[in-house]
Amino acid sequence: MNKTFNEVLAAIMSHRSIRKFKNEKLTPSQIETIVRAAQMASSSRFMQAYSIIGLTDPALKRELSEITKTPYIEENGHLFIFCADLKRLTVMGTEQEKQDMRMMLESSVFYQTAVTDTALAAQNAVLAAESLGLGAVIIGSVSKDIRRLDQMLALPEYVIPLFGIAVGVPDQQPEIKPRLPLEAVYFENRYPSESDLKE
C-alpha cells in the first residue's frame, strides 16, 4: 500500500458534488464542526476576511431557489452562504479612520485577499462535511441577482456574497468527474508553449 495515502487524501480524491439530499437537517454539532473547520483555513495577513451566513428561513431559501432556478438551494440539510467580508475591519474604527480606510478597502488587492480567504475557508468546509459522511455542492449561482441577495441577507457595504454551499445527507452517488491529466495543469519553472499545451 502507498504510504503517502491516508484518510485525508482518500476524502479529497473521492470528492464529488452532491445535488440531491435526503430530508434530514444537519445537527448543531455538525454545523459548528463545519464552520470551525472553515475557520482553520489559511488566511492572508490573518485578516480572515470572510463571513458565513447559515440560511435556515424556508421562505428565504425558496426565494433564492426561484432566483437561481436551483432546487437544491431549498432542499438540503443546511445552506451556507460564503461572503467576502471587509466590513469587519471597519467596525472598531472612528469615523475618520473609516474614511481613511475607504480607498484602501476598495482596492483590488484587498478584494482579492477577501475572495481568496473565502474560497480557502469554503474548501475546508466542504472537506469537513465530506469527512462527516455528508455531501456538499458549491453553488455559484447564488450571486445571480446580487442586489436582491444583498437585501435578503441585509448585507452591509464591503460584504459580498460569493457562493453558497449546500450540505446534507447524500441521496445520490454520482460518478467522480474526470480531471485533466497532471501534465495539463502542473508545469515546472515556466508555462508551456502552445504546441506543448495542445499535446
Side-chain angles (χ1 to χ4, degrees):
M1 182 174 173
N2 185 347
K3 290 184 179 179
T4 62
F5 209 71
N6 55 46
E7 288 181 14
V8 175
L9 285 172
I12 291 170
M13 298 302 187
S14 63
H15 167 74
R16 65 201 73 203
S17 293
I18 301 297
R19 293 176 173 84
K20 187 176 180 189
F21 302 96
K22 293 182 180 177
N23 188 21
E24 296 179 34
K25 298 297 177 197
L26 265 60
T27 66
S29 175
Q30 288 172 319
I31 294 167
E32 181 179 342
T33 298
I34 290 167
V35 172
R36 287 191 183 279
Q39 288 185 276
M40 295 307 293
S42 297
S43 171
S44 180
R45 300 179 189 173
F46 205 54
M47 286 169 54
Q48 303 174 78
Y50 58 87
S51 288
I52 306 167
I53 298 173
L55 202 57
T56 58
D57 183 329
L60 288 177
K61 288 175 79 171
R62 190 173 309 112
E63 183 178 353
L64 187 55
S65 181
E66 288 168 2
I67 292 169
T68 62
K69 309 290 188 244
T70 308
Y72 43 88
I73 280 181
E74 190 175 358
E75 300 159 5
N76 53 62
H78 198 76
L79 181 65
F80 301 90
I81 305 294
F82 278 71
C83 304
D85 185 352
L86 295 170
K87 173 70 175 177
R88 191 181 299 115
L89 298 176
T90 71
V91 170
M92 298 302 290
T94 65
E95 284 307 312
Q96 184 58 51
E97 287 169 334
K98 289 178 184 178
Q99 288 301 318
D100 294 343
M101 289 180 75
R102 183 172 292 272
M103 185 178 295
M104 184 172 63
L105 290 177
E106 291 175 359
S107 76
S108 61
V109 173
F110 270 75
Y111 175 72
Q112 183 177 353
T113 296
V115 169
T116 302
D117 276 9
T118 309
L120 292 172
Q123 184 59 39
N124 263 23
V126 169
L127 186 56
E130 291 174 345
S131 77
L132 295 171
L134 302 168
V137 61
I138 296 177
I139 310 165
S141 62
V142 298
S143 57
K144 194 171 190 176
D145 187 341
I146 202 162
R147 288 198 175 112
R148 195 161 159 194
L149 187 58
D150 280 350
Q151 293 170 345
M152 288 168 62
L153 304 180
L155 298 180
E157 190 176 34
Y158 303 126
V159 178
I160 305 160
L162 297 179
F163 43 79
I165 300 180
V167 179
V169 177
D171 197 22
Q172 62 176 180
Q173 189 70 10
E175 294 293 320
I176 297 174
K177 289 182 180 175
R179 267 38 181 192
L180 290 167
L182 187 70
E183 298 78 13
V185 296
Y186 174 71
F187 319 118
E188 289 192 358
N189 302 319
R190 62 176 59 87
Y191 197 83
S193 67
E194 189 168 330
S195 61
D196 286 342
L197 200 59
K198 281 180 181 178
E199 285 184 26

